[in-house]
Amino acid sequence: MAAKDGAPERIVAETADLWFHCLVMLAHFGLSPRQVLDELARREGLSGLDEKAARQSGSTEVRR
């Protein structure tokens, strides 16, 4: 909703809340932010449709 309003300070505050909760969740499950960054790096340059199709088929290989 903050993005809809377009107020930069609200967008920053809401993003901080989101990041905080994501970091708590990762810690709860023994995961690290590095793992998320690695996953983002793996997806770089991929079509979202191709990436989703690869997940649904169980394949770890995605067309670039």
Side-chain angles (χ1 to χ4, degrees), residues 34-55:
R34 171 52 49 201
Q35 290 171 276
V36 176
L37 294 172
D38 290 346
E39 175 62 12
L40 289 171
R42 183 190 70 78
R43 294 180 185 186
E44 186 176 352
L46 297 178
S47 154
L49 295 174
D50 288 342
E51 198 276 332
K52 183 176 180 180
R55 282 188 282 138

Side-chain angles (χ1 to χ4, degrees), residues 9-64:
E9 64 279 355
R10 292 208 51 228
I11 294 169
V12 168
E14 291 298 324
T15 301
D17 288 347
L18 176 63
W19 286 4
F20 171 79
H21 290 290
C22 288
L23 290 169
V24 169
M25 177 189 62
L26 289 171
H28 176 78
F29 288 102
L31 301 168
S32 73
R34 171 52 49 201
Q35 290 171 276
V36 176
L37 294 172
D38 290 346
E39 175 62 12
L40 289 171
R42 183 190 70 78
R43 294 180 185 186
E44 186 176 352
L46 297 178
S47 154
L49 295 174
D50 288 342
E51 198 276 332
K52 183 176 180 180
R55 282 188 282 138
Q56 289 174 342
S57 71
S59 172
T60 57
E61 189 172 327
V62 182
R63 292 181 286 147
R64 289 200 179 255

